[in-house]
Structure formats: C-alpha cells, structure tokens
Amino acid sequence: MPLRNIQFNVKQLLATSKLKYSEEELVAALQRNERTAFEFLYDHYSGALFNIISKTLRDEERAADVLQESFLKIWKNIASYNPEKGRLFTWIMNIARNGAIDAARVEGRKPIMDDIDDRAVQNERDVSEDSMTTSSEMKAIIDMLRPERKILIDMAYFQGYTHEEISEELRIPLGTVKSRIRTALQELKQYFAV
C-alpha cells in the first residue's frame, strides 16, 4: 500500500475519533445507519455497557458475547428508539441489561441484580436532556479516562476513599494520587464544557 494511502487512513481515523455528537445528532446519524455514528456509540458507551453486563453475569467472556449481541440489537432496532420515552443511554443500557438477564436465565442462574442502579433507569423518563447526568452516564464518561486515572476517580468519588487511603491502598505517592485526580477532573471538565 502506498504511503499516501496509509497517511490518509490515519488522518481519517483521527478525524472520526474526534467527532462529537449531541444526543439528537447521534440518534439521527444512527437512524441513517452512518458507520461513524455506530463507531462513536461503541467507543463511548461499550465500557459502561460491559460493566453493567459483567456485574450481572460475573463472567467476562460471556459478558463480551452479550455486549456484542447488545450492539447488534441496537443496530437492528435503532429505528424503534423514541426520544420521548427516555434518553438514548437509558435505551441502550436497558438492551444490554436485558441481554445480560436473559443470558443468566438461559444458563440456569439467577441474575445478580444488586449492583445495577435501576432507579436511574426508572427516573430518567422525567429528566430533561439539559439536566444533571445520571450516575450510569457519569460512569460511562469516566470509563473514557486512562485506567490509572479512572481507578483513582472511582475510589475517591464512588467508593469514598480519601487521597491518603488511596495512596496507601495502591502504594503510590500521595502527590501522584493528587496530581492524577486533578488531571482526570480537568479532562472531565473539558468533556462537560463541550
């Protein structure tokens, strides 16, 4: 392959990775079956959906299969999505969650539901698009951080650890903990500024 084609492919890849959609734009692009919209959806939400599925199944290999099945359902059924009934994230989260529950039942096991926050799903119909982000959406956004920053945010803001406790638990210097958390918060702030 000529070098020019390789450079073009890299530029094209970088251009699609920088895409940003409002929820309305994303839904419209998905319903037009635009490949870049599906790539964006997968890149930005697969981590959160995988967490939901794996917490239900407690089996990462099976969770990966259910994640793939969920994205196929999303792709095949995106035309049926109705924004008046809830946000896109809630809709895709329900598809993933139901897929995980079905997979657990097929295997003859009771789904593990205590880790899933159903209140966010039930209450989201009443929440406007401009309102505060749900905890599930927040976790999806945090999943986009680098792993070394994501774990610190999770420990500090979702598990209630102090900076000192994180430093002791992970055996990293307190200054490193503080600077990584500060950097992660700056990245998150940029996301919400868009």
Side-chain angles (χ1 to χ4, degrees):
M1 179 183 291
L3 182 59
R4 190 179 80 214
N5 288 346
I6 293 172
Q7 289 173 339
F8 174 74
N9 290 340
V10 170
K11 287 179 182 178
Q12 187 178 23
L13 179 63
L14 290 173
T16 58
S17 68
K18 293 180 182 179
L19 283 176
K20 295 215 185 276
Y21 292 94
S22 70
E23 186 165 306
E24 289 174 358
E25 292 169 338
L26 180 59
V27 169
L30 290 169
Q31 290 178 338
R32 288 189 304 266
N33 288 321
E34 291 181 12
R35 181 179 171 191
T36 54
F38 281 101
E39 289 171 354
F40 179 89
L41 185 75
Y42 185 85
D43 290 344
H44 287 83
Y45 295 103
S46 61
L49 297 182
F50 182 78
N51 287 339
I52 291 165
I53 295 165
S54 62
K55 284 181 180 179
T56 304
L57 294 176
R58 303 281 188 199
D59 178 348
E60 287 192 11
E61 188 174 318
R62 185 66 186 120
D65 291 341
V66 171
L67 178 66
Q68 183 177 352
E69 293 165 10
S70 297
F71 272 97
L72 283 172
K73 282 184 183 175
I74 292 165
W75 175 63
K76 289 178 180 177
N77 297 304
I78 190 65
S80 69
Y81 167 70
N82 182 351
E84 293 175 8
K85 292 185 177 179
R87 298 187 65 181
L88 178 64
F89 182 77
T90 302
W91 185 73
I92 66 173
M93 182 176 66
N94 281 327
I95 289 173
R97 185 173 142 262
N98 291 339
I101 292 167
D102 291 345
R105 288 181 180 149
V106 164
E107 295 171 1
R109 295 182 315 174
K110 183 180 178 196
I112 300 167
M113 300 301 293
D114 54 273
D115 291 325
I116 299 175
D117 186 6
D118 287 322
R119 291 181 307 251
V121 175
Q122 293 168 354
N123 294 332
E124 192 156 3
R125 288 188 184 133
D126 301 325
V127 179
S128 71
E129 188 170 323
D130 296 329
S131 66
M132 190 175 216
T133 305
T134 66
S135 64
S136 297
E137 287 175 309
M138 179 62 75
K139 287 181 182 180
I141 293 165
I142 290 169
D143 278 343
M144 293 186 283
L145 295 172
R146 289 184 178 173
E148 70 269 11
R149 294 179 188 152
K150 181 171 71 171
I151 192 168
L152 298 177
I153 294 294
D154 180 62
M155 290 176 78
Y157 294 98
F158 292 98
Q159 298 180 39
Y161 282 80
T162 65
H163 291 177
E164 291 80 9
E165 291 170 335
I166 294 170
S167 175
E168 289 174 23
E169 182 78 22
L170 299 179
R171 297 181 183 160
I172 56 178
L174 180 60
T176 303
V177 170
K178 290 181 178 183
S179 66
R180 286 183 182 170
I181 289 175
R182 185 171 40 255
T183 302
L185 291 175
Q186 289 170 344
E187 286 179 26
L188 293 172
K189 185 177 177 183
Q190 287 176 352
Y191 173 83
F192 288 108
V194 173

